[in-house]
Amino acid sequence: MRNVRKATSTDLEIGRRLRRRRKAMGMLQQELAAKLSVSCQLIQKYETGQIRIGAGRLSTMAGALGVSAAFFYEGGQAADAPQSVAGETELYAFLGTTEGMALNTAFQRIRDPRLRRCVLALILAAGNDRER
């Protein structure tokens, strides 16, 4: 019988960081899987923390995502990322969601500064509506 260790909170955080970085780069699970010569299902299991990522695989993933392996651990960040600021963790978590990436991408495509301010005002107003 195989000795299977349960994923730890560190494994889950590494998976979350993997997903956020992949999404921030606009990369699909299939694309990352192809770069690593693994299945998409394996990438999904890594991202959800169902399977632990070995040191060698983590190093290969880091290279494919343009970061050092330290990026996946506490305090690690992408070489091109700004210095840590308050709320950064929440921002990266939001951008790691499908809705966060879609909202960010759509907002960046708005070229008219006045329209951007109007959209921002709408989102701020909707976020303050506590009756929903």
Side-chain angles (χ1 to χ4, degrees):
M1 184 159 36
R2 245 175 102 191
N3 181 14
V4 178
R5 292 185 288 181
K6 186 174 178 175
T8 65
S9 60
T10 301
D11 298 316
L12 296 171
E13 180 59 25
I14 288 171
R16 282 191 289 268
R17 288 179 184 221
L18 168 63
R19 183 172 192 264
R20 285 194 300 258
R21 179 62 181 175
R22 177 185 59 76
K23 287 185 152 266
M25 294 183 68
M27 185 183 295
L28 299 172
Q29 285 181 339
Q30 294 88 339
E31 294 170 315
L32 181 57
K35 286 184 178 214
L36 301 173
S37 299
V38 299
S39 70
C40 313
Q41 290 82 8
L42 189 57
I43 298 297
Q44 183 177 21
K45 288 179 180 185
Y46 285 149
E47 289 182 353
T48 59
Q50 292 176 17
I51 295 181
R52 303 179 95 186
I53 305 171
R57 177 63 49 91
L58 188 63
S59 179
T60 305
M61 283 180 177
L65 295 170
V67 295
S68 71
F71 170 80
F72 296 102
Y73 294 95
E74 190 173 343
Q77 57 181 293
D80 59 350
Q83 290 300 315
S84 186
V85 294
E88 183 178 84
T89 302
E90 292 82 8
L91 174 63
Y92 285 132
F94 174 68
L95 289 175
T97 66
T98 302
E99 295 87 1
M101 284 302 294
L103 181 61
N104 181 55
T105 301
F107 189 78
Q108 288 181 22
R109 290 183 182 147
I110 301 171
R111 297 290 171 226
D112 181 352
R114 290 183 307 169
L115 181 55
R116 284 177 80 134
R117 285 190 295 273
C118 288
V119 170
L120 178 58
L122 174 66
I123 292 169
L124 291 172
N128 288 329
D129 183 8
R130 298 187 192 271
E131 292 182 14
R132 288 188 181 176

